[in-house]
Amino acid sequence: MAAPAHRSVRIGLTGGIGSGKSTIAAILQARGAQLIDTDAISRSLTARGGAAIDTLRAHFGAAAIDAHGALDRRWMRERAFANAGVKRDLEAVLHPLIGARCDELAAAAAGQPCIVFDVPLLVESHRWRMFVDRVLVVDCPLEVQIARVMRRSLWQREQVQSVIAQQAPRAVRRAAADAVIDNRVDDLAELQANLEALWRLWLPSP
């Protein structure tokens, strides 16, 4: 993936499941950032008619595709979490396509003051660090993550813990960050104030 050829400040936004990363992304977008959401790109690639569908069907078999012609995300999630080889194979299909789409969107956003790359596995993939100027980590305690995901997704606790176990530990994410936003209490006003201060620090007025 080539680095965008423009002077925009590039921020890599990441955080564990249930950390509230989407809330932070929305605030930054409202503040003027151009948002590139890798999860949304992945969903587009694996939707009916998506660019990854034929390759996924060929690699994993017809069972990987649901009745509507999209990736059966539950089927794939169960196998990827249980088998590291399946997870690597899935990433080998999706990551190059996601990277190429990010390139396209970043090029289209050239000249914007700030581009935010929303990347759930930014720390885990390592390669992302060279493509962004700053890493912003959204953080909260483990029990807060679990409670949020159980509430919003109606998953069992063990299911959430399985997903969290596949992600980088909090300490590793925090160590990779240029800034950490604490989002343990869902205080929107506080989040907005903290992000406004960070925006002024990272994107000073000319």
Side-chain angles (χ1 to χ4, degrees), residues 17 146-156 159-160:
I17 187 172
I146 293 172
R148 284 175 178 160
V149 179
M150 289 178 66
R151 185 169 60 247
R152 85 178 181 208
S153 300
L154 302 179
W155 288 2
Q156 296 298 311
Q159 216 176 341
V160 183

Side-chain angles (χ1 to χ4, degrees), residues 7 18 23 25 27 31 37 40-41 47 63 66 74 78 83 106-107 116 119 125 137 146 151 168 174-175 180 189 199:
R7 296 181 180 273
T23 300
I27 294 172
R31 183 62 181 77
D37 184 339
I41 293 171
D66 68 19
R74 180 175 180 179
E78 290 173 353
N83 186 321
V116 172
V119 187
S125 66
V137 168
I146 293 172
R151 185 169 60 247
R174 292 176 69 97
V180 176
W199 185 276

Side-chain angles (χ1 to χ4, degrees), residues 37-175:
D37 184 339
T38 59
D39 257 358
I41 293 171
S42 177
R43 288 192 296 271
S44 174
L45 292 170
T46 57
R48 179 179 179 179
I53 289 297
D54 288 345
T55 304
L56 291 170
R57 182 185 288 109
H59 192 92
F60 295 104
I65 309 303
D66 68 19
H68 303 288
L71 175 67
D72 187 328
R73 300 179 73 86
R74 180 175 180 179
W75 184 95
M76 183 59 71
R77 182 171 58 245
E78 290 173 353
R79 284 152 184 79
F81 287 148
N83 186 321
V86 172
K87 183 172 182 287
R88 284 193 298 269
D89 290 347
L90 177 63
E91 290 172 347
V93 173
L94 292 182
H95 284 184
L97 295 173
I98 292 170
R101 183 57 178 154
C102 284
D103 277 347
E104 294 172 3
L105 294 173
Q112 296 295 321
C114 177
I115 300 175
V116 172
F117 296 89
D118 183 340
V119 187
L121 301 182
L122 184 148
V123 174
E124 293 84 339
S125 66
H126 301 295
R127 62 183 183 148
W128 269 97
R129 189 60 181 93
M130 71 182 72
F131 299 117
V132 297
D133 303 307
R134 300 283 190 273
V135 172
L136 176 59
V137 168
V138 188
D139 185 61
C140 68
L142 177 62
E143 286 302 320
V144 175
Q145 285 182 261
I146 293 172
R148 284 175 178 160
V149 179
M150 289 178 66
R151 185 169 60 247
R152 85 178 181 208
S153 300
L154 302 179
W155 288 2
Q156 296 298 311
R157 182 182 183 88
E158 294 74 19
Q159 216 176 341
V160 183
Q161 289 174 317
S162 176
V163 173
I164 291 174
Q166 299 289 325
Q167 299 183 329
R170 287 178 66 199
V172 173
R173 277 197 299 270
R174 292 176 69 97

